[in-house]
Amino acid sequence: MMSWRTRIIALVHDLDIRIVDAASGEILRHLTLNPNIDYKPTGAPKGPTRPAKTKQLNPQVEGSAVSDVSRHHNGRNDRI
């Protein structure tokens, strides 16, 4: 049984990889890389993807994504 402190030797020849217990010489894993697969990490988080957040529309102004803009000021003085 392999524990987390087992010292190993990785023997690599082209696409053939063998992981060997350094103390006993027992082959722990035998792997063959597939050249058609990209084994590099993408940086994306693991697990299921979350649905994209959608902007909530202002219920008073249909189609508006802005809810905190004052609508009474137009930049000019309307006093008589």
Side-chain angles (χ1 to χ4, degrees):
M1 187 75 176
M2 188 168 109
S3 70
W4 287 107
R5 298 191 186 268
T6 302
R7 294 194 181 260
I8 58 111
I9 297 172
L11 302 172
V12 181
H13 179 63
D14 292 328
L15 301 176
D16 187 50
I17 301 170
R18 292 179 189 191
I19 307 300
V20 179
D21 186 312
S24 69
E26 174 189 5
I27 295 176
L28 303 173
R29 293 290 306 263
H30 180 226
L31 309 162
T32 302
L33 289 180
N34 182 344
N36 298 321
I37 296 176
D38 184 9
Y39 292 101
K40 296 179 209 171
T42 63
K46 295 180 181 180
T49 58
R50 294 182 183 172
K53 289 185 178 181
T54 58
K55 290 185 178 181
Q56 299 221 344
L57 299 178
N58 183 349
Q60 297 153 350
V61 181
E62 178 121 4
S64 172
V66 179
S67 62
D68 59 347
V69 175
S70 174
R71 287 186 254 157
H72 68 274
H73 181 68
N74 61 9
R76 60 185 182 172
N77 192 352
D78 289 329
R79 292 184 194 166
I80 298 178

